Amino acid sequence: MRIGIILYPTFGGSGVVATEIGHELAKRGHQVHFISYKRPARLEYFAANIQFHQVNVADYPLFEFAPYETALTGRITDVALKYNLDLIHAHYAIPHASAALMAREILKTKGRYVPIITTLHGTDITMVGRDAALEPSVTYAINSSDAVTAVSRSLKNDTLRNFQITREIQVIYNFIDPSLYGTPSPDCLKNQVAPNGEKVVVHVSNFRKVKRIPDVIDIFARIRNSMPAKLIMGGDGPERTDAERKVLEMGLENDVTFLGSIKNSSDVLACADLLLLPSETESFGVSALEAMVSGVPVVASNAGGMPEVQENGVTGYMCDVGDIESMAEKAVYILSDAARLERFREGARMKATEFSTEKIISQYEELYQQVLDTARAVV
Ligand code: GMT
């Protein structure tokens, strides 16, 4: 198949998932065309069956806001015609699904029907999409796509609860390629990060409010009161500056390292003993899955889709949002006994196999085929 993938190019979860879907489809022989305003962070530069098409927005003095959605629509239309795309897979409802739908309408006028599959990722539904200014477009985009998927049952239910949805939403979970994680690389820096055998606690995110970064620091402070420990903060975003201030105020600066943006968390996770993910909500939590496949137990909140990905007492623990005392207690329980930690490591690895690339990509391929069959039957 010839597939267009519309995505955000940043380190955020939806962009990473969309990029990895494209990589896998390309390996299976499909022609994949990525479309975004910048080369996606994890996109391979030179790989068989992959091309990248950049969206450029004209910057006229008249515009207070550059018309990205219109330029994206134009680029999708152009790529669909030049490369004879069979279908378009839009990741994140805003503005990708709406732009793709507009492109579908334009393509119809040129005698082509190119179906749209929209994948909902999380904040496009739970936060941004509910904004009154955006809700009508999100509802329309979902109801008018040829197929819609959500990355967890929880996200599907949130969508049905918050929008007037008239169509089926299929749950297709996110996935992970175990071969890219899990084996400590020779350059694992554990000896440098924790020279005296301290436990290594990790948090990886885009440092947005929803991640509850202050909770990460408060939980870590409690862990460190019980045992020697180090905290590695991977990623960057709006909450980082306040987090750095909090670390200084709490006198934790010798035990906390901020890495900034990281392209791939596998090296960091190879050094880790525990991941903290106390988010307000998380439709899926790809970073938890990355930790699990690396054999790193997770202490998280029991919000959103996290209970569909993790298993209490097996992969780690989930506690109520904001319950930092319980999260710290569970973390200490896991870390304070070597044999127990090993059991959790194994439990996390095992659970991650349920989300293997192999299983999940086939579900997307089947969906693509169904959509194409339906579209051909109608045209
Ligand atoms: O909040 C983020 O980390 C960014 C956001 C995104 O769309 O890039 O992540 C969402 O999609 C990810 C991939 O499907 C999920 O793993 C995250 O849980 C989800 N974030 C939230 O629901 C807050």
Side-chain angles (χ1 to χ4, degrees), residues 6 31 43 84 99 112 126 145 159 163 232 302 330 340:
I6 325 296
Q31 299 290 322
L43 180 59
N84 204 15
R112 289 282 324 278
T126 54
S145 293
T159 311
F163 299 85
I232 302 180
N302 53 17
K330 296 299 188 193
R340 192 184 295 141

Side-chain angles (χ1 to χ4, degrees), residues 8 10-18 91-92 119-124 126-127 150-152 155 172-174 204-208 210-211 277 279-288 304-306:
Y8 280 110
T10 47
F11 291 104
S14 68
V16 169
V17 168
H91 288 266
Y92 211 86
T119 290
L120 308 173
H121 278 275
T123 47
D124 45 354
T126 54
M127 292 178 189
V151 298
S152 64
L155 182 60
I172 301 185
Y173 285 120
N174 288 331
V204 179
S205 78
N206 49 24
F207 283 62
R208 304 223 171 99
V210 68
K211 305 294 174 183
L277 194 61
S279 308
E280 187 75 36
T281 185
E282 207 60 72
S283 67
F284 183 92
V286 167
S287 56
M306 292 207 270

Side-chain angles (χ1 to χ4, degrees), residues 169-247:
I169 297 177
Q170 184 176 339
V171 173
I172 301 185
Y173 285 120
N174 288 331
F175 57 90
I176 195 105
D177 178 354
S179 70
L180 303 178
Y181 291 83
T183 326
S185 58
D187 56 350
C188 167
L189 299 177
K190 190 153 189 166
N191 290 341
Q192 287 179 43
V193 174
N196 304 308
E198 296 93 338
K199 292 292 178 226
V200 178
V201 179
V202 166
H203 171 77
V204 179
S205 78
N206 49 24
F207 283 62
R208 304 223 171 99
K209 255 208 155 47
V210 68
K211 305 294 174 183
R212 295 184 69 100
I213 301 294
D215 286 9
V216 174
I217 298 165
D218 286 330
I219 297 164
F220 173 71
R222 284 160 175 75
I223 298 172
R224 188 173 148 282
N225 284 341
S226 298
M227 65 183 72
K230 299 283 183 185
L231 174 63
I232 302 180
M233 302 284 270
D236 215 325
E239 295 291 299
R240 175 169 169 182
T241 316
D242 283 354
E244 287 168 324
R245 187 177 334 112
K246 184 172 169 76
V247 164

